[in-house]
Amino acid sequence: MLRDLMTVLGTGGLAIAALLPGLLAAVDQHAAEVRDALGDGRAAPSTVALAGYAEGFIHAAEETGWDLPEPIDWVHADWRALRLLAVCALAADGREL
């Protein structure tokens, strides 16, 4: 699940975020919210927890009619795409994917 997410949006999105401070700040904020939702807010969630979160998040978003836009305009990305990019950032942080 996380590998697919990294392939679809994580690798490119994180590279762009590294170049755009505003986007990076938004991703960091979303990452903090994901850490809070999955634990104590300090430690990075496990890859299993992140995969479950991402799967549930995508399912709930799709039930509202949302689809991940392709291609993604990261400068104008909606909060759902940013949240998924934050999951990718957390998953990539010190882990092999």
Side-chain angles (χ1 to χ4, degrees):
M1 171 69 189
L2 291 178
R3 283 190 186 114
D4 291 343
L5 198 58
M6 283 297 291
T7 299
V8 170
L9 65 101
T11 303
L14 293 173
I16 293 169
L19 301 173
L20 300 173
L23 177 58
L24 186 58
V27 171
D28 286 344
Q29 181 63 43
H30 279 278
E33 292 173 12
V34 172
R35 278 193 304 273
D36 287 345
L38 296 178
D40 62 9
R42 294 183 306 269
S46 70
T47 53
V48 171
L50 288 169
Y53 179 90
E55 186 173 14
F57 184 87
I58 291 168
H59 180 71
E62 288 174 341
E63 284 185 345
T64 67
W66 181 81
D67 287 315
L68 187 65
E70 293 211 25
I72 299 172
D73 176 0
W74 287 111
V75 174
H76 300 103
D78 74 349
W79 72 272
R80 293 174 186 107
L82 294 175
R83 181 61 57 100
L84 291 172
L85 186 57
V87 169
C88 290
L90 289 169
D93 191 26
R95 297 181 178 95
E96 293 288 326
L97 289 180

